[in-house]
Amino acid sequence: SITHGSKRQIHSTAKLSKPPLAFVFDIDGVLIRGPSVLPAAKRALAMLEGENPFGVKIPYILLTNGGGVSEKERCQKLSQQLGFTVGPSQYVQAHTILKDQVHKYADKPVLVLGGKLDKVRQVAEDYGFTKAYTTLDVLKWNPAVWPFHQLTEAERKVAKPVDFSQTSISAIFVFHDPRNWALDVQVACDVIQSGGIIGGPYLKSHEREHPVEIVFCNPDLLWRSDFGRPRLGQGAFKEAFQAVYKALTGSNYAYVQYGKPTTATYLFAEKVLIDRIRDMYGVSHTTLPPVYMVGDNPESDIAGANAANWLSVLVHTGVFDPDQGPPAYLPTHQAPDVEYGVRWAIEREL
Ligand code: G3P
Ligand code: MG
């Protein structure tokens, strides 16, 4: 526990009119690695749930570039892994922000990429997309679209019967990391070059009346799972798509980017954090206490937190390797793991 030689008295929530500080936690490489929970994560959250010199619950939310399932499903899994209840009101994942965008596409056909089978379609439909299609649907419609993959039995079961020759795709949303990059790059290039109709005539960019929008939800080139070295993330898929599209057409394709470190995602997370504080401390709260972001990836967690004028703690349990030199984005503090980081922040605010 934290040294109690602090200057401030021990307070109870009732006496603290506002939280002394708040935390935003990245997940992969900070709290978990693949299927494993970092032991430091449980000790860190225990401090925030009350085991701290303030004697109060310190508000926190989770902000991840992960995704692929509903916020509810992920929170159920995280609560079981971490040993503390984490609810959807405390959780922002890569594509949560799309809930604010769906009105533009509610009744338009869109292609949703990433994740397992058609989990991401289910998430998209829960958000309000009424015509969300997958590249498995495309292969079901015409296997010749990509001759090198035959639908598995499991994929066949979830693929929907759609006539894509009569379905003009208006936008492509990369919710999570695609499982079959080749298939997804092929279909994305088909949709974009034919102005929405897969297999239609290729149109020069100036001939496309309504260019298909492509939206990526996670820019991570790398992320930390339970392998000894970082793994390629959705940002690597984006690079692959752009390289192929440029080879085909001579130019890059304009895209929309969400996820850490984008400003849109940090502004979205800030609203979620303020709502969490209002839930815990009363609706009068509209301003934030000092916010500490704890992350493992300088390019996403630290860059975004610094730009949001939060304090930032870079831990050494994920993507960043201190032996490889200084981080590309300087954090307020570096710590071996999330427990040290949380303890440093609390003691700093005593
Ligand atoms: O796919 C998830 C990965 O890109 C990073 O996740 O939790 O470290 O933001 P996280
Ligand atoms: Mg991470």
Side-chain angles (χ1 to χ4, degrees):
S1 68
I2 294 172
T3 52
H4 285 279
S6 56
K7 296 182 288 301
R8 293 183 56 156
Q9 300 303 315
I10 302 296
H11 297 281
S12 71
T13 312
K15 292 190 186 126
L16 276 187
S17 62
K18 70 185 182 79
L21 72 169
F23 285 88
V24 179
F25 291 110
D26 172 47
I27 298 179
D28 291 300
V30 174
L31 302 176
I32 66 170
R33 276 203 299 243
S36 318
V37 184
L38 297 177
K42 294 188 175 185
R43 296 193 294 267
L45 294 185
M47 284 190 264
L48 303 190
E49 294 287 347
E51 292 173 25
N52 62 69
F54 296 106
V56 296
K57 282 180 175 285
I58 296 172
Y60 64 91
I61 65 170
L62 305 187
L63 173 59
T64 177
N65 277 345
V69 294
S70 71
E71 283 77 12
K72 181 169 176 249
E73 182 177 333
R74 186 68 195 282
C75 285
Q76 284 166 347
K77 178 89 180 328
L78 283 166
S79 299
Q80 176 256 327
Q81 286 177 299
L82 296 168
F84 293 99
T85 300
V86 174
S89 68
Q90 289 173 267
Y91 178 73
V92 178
Q93 61 186 352
H95 42 76
T96 307
I97 196 169
L98 294 185
K99 292 180 177 179
D100 290 354
Q101 308 292 323
V102 68
H103 63 279
K104 290 188 275 184
Y105 299 94
D107 57 355
K108 291 180 180 169
V110 298
L111 196 62
V112 294
L113 303 187
K116 290 178 187 156
L117 294 171
D118 77 335
K119 295 288 278 187
V120 152
R121 187 216 311 277
Q122 293 167 30
V123 174
E125 289 175 346
D126 288 348
Y127 285 4
F129 291 95
T130 59
K131 295 176 182 167
Y133 303 122
T134 70
T135 50
L136 300 178
D137 300 341
V138 174
L139 270 195
K140 182 187 182 88
W141 164 65
N142 189 340
V145 166
W146 184 249
F148 302 128
H149 180 73
Q150 281 69 47
L151 288 179
T152 64
E153 202 39 50
E155 291 171 338
R156 193 176 304 286
K157 279 185 185 149
V158 299
K160 283 189 174 177
V162 182
D163 179 354
F164 286 95
S165 68
Q166 306 300 318
T167 304
S168 183
I169 299 292
S170 61
I172 301 167
F173 291 93
V174 190
F175 272 66
H176 192 44
D177 303 43
R179 288 343 192 228
N180 186 333
W181 285 22
L183 167 64
D184 289 11
V185 168
Q186 174 67 78
V187 173
C189 289
D190 282 332
V191 166
I192 289 168
Q193 290 181 100
S194 302
I197 299 282
I198 299 169
Y202 287 164
L203 306 170
K204 294 273 183 289
S205 52
H206 65 273
E207 294 168 331
R208 297 168 199 162
E209 197 182 341
H210 301 293
V212 173
E213 191 173 30
I214 186 162
V215 178
F216 294 92
C217 295
N218 164 12
D220 284 354
L221 183 63
L222 295 169
W223 66 291
R224 187 66 188 274
S225 186
D226 54 338
F227 185 65
R229 299 305 302 148
R231 303 294 76 198
L232 294 176
Q234 189 183 128
F237 170 76
K238 179 180 73 179
E239 295 298 321
F241 160 74
Q242 288 288 5
V244 168
Y245 184 82
K246 183 158 190 176
L248 289 172
T249 65
S251 55
N252 286 322
Y253 194 68
Y255 62 93
V256 173
Q257 182 69 66
Y258 292 121
K260 299 175 290 182
T262 68
T263 304
T265 286
Y266 274 81
L267 287 174
F268 186 90
E270 204 157 87
K271 281 191 297 178
V272 172
L273 181 57
I274 286 181
D275 287 347
R276 176 67 182 164
I277 290 171
R278 288 152 67 99
D279 285 350
M280 292 174 71
Y281 279 78
V283 291
S284 61
H285 287 287
T286 53
T287 56
L288 284 170
V291 177
Y292 289 81
M293 169 104 206
V294 184
D296 69 300
N297 187 334
E299 282 73 9
S300 69
D301 305 313
I302 307 307
N306 292 352
N309 294 315
W310 299 349
L311 296 134
S312 54
V313 179
L314 177 60
V315 295
H316 298 166
T317 50
V319 167
F320 177 68
D321 176 357
D323 297 339
Q324 303 292 318
Y329 294 87
L330 286 179
T332 314
H333 181 67
Q334 291 196 44
D337 63 34
V338 62
E339 179 187 11
Y340 279 95
V342 164
R343 188 181 298 137
W344 168 81
I346 290 175
E347 289 185 342
R348 188 171 182 273
E349 296 297 331
L350 282 179

